[in-house]
Amino acid sequence: MTDVSNNTTQSTKTFDAEAFATNIARAMETSGKALAAYLKPRETGEVQDRPPTELAEVVKSFTAVADYWLSDKDRASDIQTKIAKGYLDLWGSASRRLAGEQAPPTISPSPRDKRFADPEWKSNQFYDFVMQAYLLTTQWAQDLVHNAEGLDPHTRKKAEFYVNQITNALAPSNFVLTNPEVLRQTVASSGDNLVRGMQMLAEDIEAGKGTLKIRQSDPANLEVGVNMATTPGKVIFQNEMMQLIQYAPTTENVLRTPLLIVPPWINKFYILDLRPEKSFIKWCVDQGLTVFVISWVNPDKSLGTKTWEDYMKEGPLTAMDVIEKVTGEMKVHTMGYCVGGTMLATTLAWLADKRRQRVTSATFLAAQVDFTHAGDLLVFVDETQISALERDMQASGVLEGSKMAMAFNMLRSNDLIWSYVVNNYLKGQPPQAFDLLHWNSDATRMSAANHSYYLRNCYLENRLTSGTMVLDNALLDLSKVKVPVYNLATREDHIAPADSVLYGSQFFGGPVKYVLSGSGHIAGVVNPPSSGKYQYWTNDQIRDISLKDWMKGAEEHKGSWWPDWRAWLSELDPEQVPARSIGSEAYPPLEDAPGSYVRVRA
């Protein structure tokens, strides 16, 4: 009995009031360091605070919603009565529970809502009441927007987006006293979690040079060229826009036609070359492909005037010329990821207009050519917002990568912002080392001229599929693109929605194989066969069909889409040649992959 008693005593942590008081003082002191890190660049003039341009859009959108409800007294009364009834129902339910009766909840969170996964949200009456009050208020606010008649679609979409951002930020899970898990940890550690959290907050504000740069991954053991982007290869060419990497063969023979990968310049290419077991590039090399990859420059002000045309000519077109001289092959298989795919599509249309046959096939990974159904990013696109962004870019010549990264994070703010706020700064738990999220935080800048062209010609005016996009004095027409296309979408994509990619498939003039992968914009693409995860669907029907109807007739295949794509390539062009050495006499290796451009951090 004595041993059991001692073990129980040792394993039970008791609240230490003195330690708690000390830790609270330390947390407050450290929060002062966070404030100092925030103020310092403003005092030195490095950062000049101005009201965010988004604030005007929030006010304008909410004003349109408010005008609808306040313009009619009965309508305003009805909406107030609805929320009042919800609160009264909740109060009645809570009162019955306090009296020991069984009472069903007035509202319940989605089973997929990780914020309220802790059992105490339901077992503890206080937290249950707080959670339901929050959910009722959130539902009411969303209904205000959803049921407001007469709003134009763009204003409604903006209002819905901003309501979600505000309600996500005000969730009770984001505060110490109204998050049961955080409060338990605070009591159990006598507040030590808050000390660690405030220390990380100060470090992250300092790392962001006066703005909060939320760490999503522990950088330990995640270094480009050491733990990631380690597939053997060499940079064989570079200009001021890109480095061209050729990877060393690992098979005796390779496909005769080489592969050129055009990644997005919004992020760095090594998303396709993470750890070896996840690397798409390594897998392609091991599958007998001669792989070339563009590594885009991380532009500064001196490259701010580089246009979409410059990116095309100094990127994929130059790469094709170099590949021809190195391999002797006039044609290449091409692959474009995200906005790199949009660039590839315009390049193909330009080549078709010039009647130049340089491409055997084109593969698009989560890439859009039509922007009618472009999803939540359309919230940021209208004449007013683009003009404001152009004014901001004019001074610096570039769009800072942190701004684009924050826009992407806001599309999934609960997962990519607030979960890290809670874990890092309230629980004091540093994130784990995760290569995908480390890459996600390794943002790049964008040249002002190129980004402006992209926003206006693609998102705002949707010129590529309407046949009105002009590039290098050529009127682009995707129907002239006759090469076979493998068009991959991902089912849960917030950036290039699957229905948008499907709709865009019909504009190409040649055969298109549309494939839908499970998961989202990144995990649905970077899904090695060895992981045995997810699935993909195929269906030959792509014209005049909705995604819902397409799915009804689609065939599901377990696992990764990678082998299906490799088989598709072989069907098009099975001829093989002996494996090629890297570079040539005219293009000797300049440095080891992944090169120096990818190492430049914003």
Side-chain angles (χ1 to χ4, degrees):
M1 289 294 293
T2 303
D3 291 341
V4 173
S5 177
N6 288 340
N7 288 338
T8 303
T9 303
Q10 291 172 4
S11 63
T12 303
K13 288 186 176 181
T14 58
F15 178 71
D16 188 331
E18 183 176 347
F20 181 77
T22 300
N23 282 332
I24 291 300
R26 290 172 60 201
M28 293 180 66
E29 179 184 358
T30 309
S31 68
K33 294 179 181 178
L35 179 61
Y38 172 81
L39 293 175
K40 183 178 178 180
R42 287 159 176 79
E43 293 170 349
T44 60
E46 296 177 53
V47 174
Q48 295 183 353
D49 279 332
R50 292 177 296 175
T53 55
E54 294 82 4
L55 183 60
E57 296 302 315
V58 173
V59 173
K60 185 164 52 174
S61 302
F62 286 172
T63 298
V65 174
D67 284 347
Y68 171 78
W69 292 107
L70 297 178
S71 63
D72 185 295
K73 291 182 179 180
D74 292 337
R75 203 153 49 204
S77 176
D78 287 345
I79 198 69
Q80 291 177 58
T81 301
K82 183 176 180 179
I83 187 63
K85 182 181 182 302
Y87 289 151
L88 285 173
D89 290 344
L90 173 59
W91 184 257
S93 174
S95 299
R96 289 193 297 274
R97 284 193 64 186
L98 281 173
E101 300 178 22
Q102 292 292 326
T106 304
I107 189 171
S108 298
S110 166
R112 299 180 64 182
D113 195 336
K114 299 176 184 178
R115 297 174 298 175
F116 305 112
D118 190 277
E120 204 168 352
W121 284 110
K122 294 181 180 178
S123 63
N124 184 299
Q125 294 187 32
F126 168 74
Y127 292 118
D128 183 51
F129 182 88
V130 169
M131 176 188 69
Q132 291 193 58
Y134 164 75
L135 293 174
L136 282 171
T137 306
T138 298
Q139 184 183 72
W140 176 78
Q142 291 171 340
D143 287 346
L144 282 177
V145 178
H146 181 73
N147 297 328
E149 299 175 3
L151 293 183
D152 67 89
H154 185 59
T155 299
R156 188 185 304 280
K157 197 169 190 67
K158 286 195 295 183
E160 289 173 345
F161 179 80
Y162 294 133
V163 162
N164 286 336
Q165 298 307 312
I166 293 171
T167 55
N168 289 346
L170 296 177
S173 53
N174 296 338
F175 304 92
V176 174
L177 295 179
T178 51
N179 185 321
E181 187 180 3
V182 172
L183 190 58
R184 283 199 308 271
Q185 291 188 18
T186 302
V187 173
S189 68
S190 300
D192 188 56
N193 58 309
L194 299 180
V195 177
R196 297 193 307 270
M198 290 302 100
Q199 180 62 41
M200 279 193 282
L201 178 65
E203 292 170 357
D204 290 353
I205 293 176
E206 188 171 358
K209 298 180 180 179
T211 60
L212 179 59
K213 184 178 182 180
I214 300 174
R215 68 181 81 179
Q216 296 176 323
S217 175
D218 184 352
N221 300 318
L222 292 175
E223 184 177 348
V224 173
V226 177
N227 315 105
M228 302 180 297
T230 59
T231 303
K234 303 284 186 181
V235 174
I236 62 168
F237 172 83
Q238 73 178 43
N239 56 28
E240 61 181 353
M241 296 308 300
M242 61 95 176
Q243 289 187 319
L244 183 65
I245 302 171
Q246 181 182 0
Y247 289 91
T250 59
T251 57
E252 185 177 347
N253 294 311
V254 295
L255 278 188
R256 178 175 189 131
T257 305
L259 171 67
L260 170 63
I261 299 177
V262 183
W265 53 86
I266 288 174
N267 293 103
K268 296 181 179 179
F269 85 89
Y270 68 88
I271 185 59
L272 297 175
D273 190 23
L274 294 168
R275 296 181 186 274
E277 62 272 17
K278 282 185 179 179
S279 172
F280 179 75
I281 290 173
K282 181 181 184 301
W283 185 86
C284 286
V285 171
D286 292 342
Q287 293 294 311
L289 296 173
T290 305
V291 180
F292 295 84
V293 175
I294 289 173
S295 175
W296 296 105
V297 72
N298 195 342
D300 55 20
K301 187 174 184 177
S302 66
L303 299 174
T305 57
K306 289 290 184 178
T307 64
W308 190 273
E309 179 183 327
D310 294 324
Y311 269 76
M312 179 185 73
K313 289 185 173 180
E314 298 179 47
L317 290 178
T318 294
M320 289 176 192
D321 290 339
V322 173
I323 292 170
E324 180 183 0
K325 292 172 184 175
V326 168
T327 67
E329 297 298 325
M330 184 176 173
K331 290 185 176 183
V332 294
H333 292 299
T334 56
M335 173 179 283
Y337 192 176
C338 189
V339 68
T342 310
M343 166 63 70
L344 175 59
T346 61
T347 304
L348 295 175
W350 183 87
L351 287 169
D353 182 79
K354 303 298 181 183
R355 298 184 179 181
R356 298 185 186 179
Q357 297 183 0
R358 304 301 309 273
V359 175
T360 299
S361 75
T363 298
F364 298 97
L365 308 179
Q368 297 179 98
V369 295
D370 182 89
F371 293 78
T372 305
H373 310 292
D376 288 340
L377 282 176
L378 287 173
V379 166
F380 303 107
V381 179
D382 53 46
E383 181 59 43
T384 301
Q385 293 185 84
I386 291 178
S387 295
L389 183 62
E390 287 171 338
R391 288 193 295 271
D392 289 342
M393 292 191 297
Q394 189 173 9
S396 61
V398 296
L399 176 68
E400 290 297 333
S402 58
K403 293 186 177 180
M404 183 61 74
M406 179 55 71
F408 287 142
N409 287 341
M410 287 173 70
L411 299 182
R412 294 174 53 203
S413 59
N414 279 333
D415 293 330
L416 297 178
I417 297 176
W418 297 111
S419 65
Y420 290 98
V421 168
V422 172
N423 285 324
N424 296 2
Y425 311 135
L426 301 187
K427 295 180 181 179
Q429 298 174 352
Q432 297 179 342
F434 187 25
D435 49 8
L436 276 178
L437 289 175
H438 180 80
W439 165 86
N440 190 56
S441 64
D442 192 5
T444 58
R445 296 177 288 267
M446 280 148 281
S447 76
N450 185 45
H451 195 57
S452 177
Y453 183 94
Y454 174 53
L455 291 179
R456 288 191 173 278
N457 285 269
C458 295
Y459 274 95
L460 186 62
E461 297 167 356
N462 201 17
R463 287 183 173 274
L464 182 55
T465 53
S466 65
T468 58
M469 179 180 281
V470 176
L471 193 61
D472 187 31
N473 297 318
L475 188 63
L476 304 187
D477 183 355
L478 284 181
S479 68
K480 295 180 180 179
V481 177
K482 306 295 185 180
V483 299
V485 168
Y486 190 101
N487 204 11
L488 180 82
T490 59
R491 193 173 188 181
E492 300 170 15
D493 202 326
H494 292 75
I495 297 170
D499 54 347
S500 179
V501 178
L502 174 61
Y503 184 70
S505 297
Q506 65 185 305
F507 292 96
F508 293 99
V512 177
K513 180 174 183 177
Y514 175 81
V515 178
L516 181 65
S517 170
S519 196
H521 190 73
I522 304 300
V525 173
V526 185
N527 181 30
S530 59
S531 69
K533 295 173 67 177
Y534 310 129
Q535 68 282 99
Y536 65 95
W537 293 265
T538 55
N539 181 350
D540 292 338
Q541 178 62 37
I542 62 168
R543 296 187 181 276
D544 302 320
I545 189 171
S546 67
L547 182 65
K548 183 179 179 181
D549 290 336
W550 185 91
M551 284 294 296
K552 291 177 182 178
E555 181 182 358
E556 182 176 346
H557 311 268
K558 297 297 182 184
S560 172
W561 60 271
W562 295 8
D564 180 74
W565 168 78
R566 180 62 181 84
W568 177 80
L569 274 191
S570 291
E571 291 172 4
L572 294 176
D573 184 27
E575 185 178 356
Q576 295 191 359
V577 297
R580 304 173 172 101
S581 58
I582 295 180
S584 66
E585 185 176 345
Y587 292 97
L590 303 177
E591 60 176 314
D592 289 337
S596 53
Y597 282 16
V598 74
R599 300 177 192 272
V600 177
R601 297 184 66 90

